Amino acid sequence: MLEKHLRAVDLNLLPVLEALLRHRNATRAGAEVGLSQPAMSRALGRLRHVLDDPLLVRAPGGQMLSPRAEALRQPLAALLTEIRTLLSEPAFDPAAENRTLRLAMTDAQATVLLAPLVKRVAAVAPGVVVQWLPISPGLSDRMVSGEVDLTLVLDTTPLPRGAASEPLMTDSLAVVVRAGHPSGGVWPIAHYATYPSVIVSLLGDRASDLDAELAASGIERPVAAIVPTFRAAAEIVAVTDSVTTISRAFAERVAAALDLQLIKPPLADAHMQIVTVWAQYRSGDPLLAWFRATLRAVADDAARAG
């Protein structure tokens, strides 16, 4: 019997009933919930039918609640308060969050962004842990599954289905050699055939836009080493006559410590646009949206400092 009544109840009638029980007057209750007098009369009739109770009864001083209505008044008010709380979006407070946010990026990007990012997050959301993950095979699937929260990639990187992205920062390539390199601080494109390169391979391959551009000029560069991190590449060129062509923002931060020289590359377009990528279905996560905004602020600060 109870299940039958629940299926028959129009939940839109509950606020009407609550106003009716509080005002003890159909006209005033209708005005509060925005119903005309005829519409309120129909709603009262439906409520009486569903509850099998008159709800309002005549009394010497006007109208009064029936015993059943009186018993419903306070529980119904409490129930509607709970429903409104359940359906309303809670206020987001990063300071109240306790989660680990996993950010996949290269060590070059981490050198530029990670320390100030962790500092800013810790100041506002001390319960949030920032975990840096390396770029590795299978990253797209892990991001879509939610194992990785954000990924930083170049805007030329194909994105998996279901991914969302937004611009983060602009960087550029730099030819990086040791101070006192025999090139003399100039770098015509032919030098790529003269001095061996240190290649950074994040996913275990050698393919790059740079090699495609060199091939178009008939140049194949000799290779001194293939390494998985930009820091390793910088440390190798610091003690050899080899060269690496890497992020200028990163190279600027390690140049003094490693005694490196940065040279403008002889390329048609040395600019790189870095984007933040995440799973589209998680766009409504308020903590993730806050984290993206915090990351953008850190990137903006890094660009101004650079």
Side-chain angles (χ1 to χ4, degrees), residues 90-292:
F92 172 68
D93 180 9
E97 295 287 335
N98 289 280
R99 281 168 57 183
T100 296
L101 293 174
R102 294 146 300 191
L103 173 60
M105 57 184 169
T106 68
D107 68 299
Q109 294 160 350
T111 297
V112 175
L113 301 172
L114 187 59
L117 176 64
V118 171
K119 180 180 179 181
R120 191 174 291 229
V121 168
V124 180
V128 172
V129 176
V130 179
Q131 182 179 1
W132 168 32
L133 301 175
I135 302 295
S136 60
L139 183 59
S140 295
D141 293 338
R142 292 160 61 206
M143 183 188 66
V144 173
S145 71
E147 293 179 46
V148 176
D149 297 295
L150 296 179
T151 304
L152 304 189
V153 299
L154 297 180
D155 65 349
T156 55
T157 304
L159 299 183
R161 186 174 183 178
S165 67
E166 65 184 7
L168 178 65
M169 61 187 296
T170 298
D171 195 359
S172 62
L173 291 171
V175 171
V176 181
V177 297
R178 66 174 175 85
H181 191 274
S183 64
V186 295
W187 199 266
I189 196 167
H191 274 6
Y192 277 112
T194 304
Y195 299 99
S197 287
V198 177
I199 296 175
V200 180
S201 176
L202 300 175
L203 301 177
D205 58 15
R206 278 190 49 182
S208 72
D209 293 339
L210 172 58
D211 284 310
E213 186 165 344
L214 293 177
S217 298
I219 295 173
E220 181 177 354
R221 55 178 175 167
V223 176
I226 301 174
V227 296
T229 68
F230 291 89
R231 177 75 189 199
E235 290 177 347
I236 291 171
V237 302
V239 295
T240 67
D241 285 344
S242 56
V243 59
T244 192
T245 306
I246 56 176
S247 155
R248 174 172 289 275
F250 164 74
E252 287 174 344
R253 282 163 174 76
V254 300
L258 296 178
D259 200 17
L260 299 173
Q261 182 177 9
L262 277 62
I263 307 171
K264 183 178 180 180
L267 303 174
D269 184 8
H271 288 88
M272 301 185 294
Q273 181 66 50
I274 299 169
V275 298
T276 305
V277 183
W278 67 97
Q280 176 68 52
Y281 73 89
R282 301 189 61 200
S283 295
D285 183 337
L287 180 60
L288 200 57
W290 172 83
F291 189 50
R292 295 201 314 269

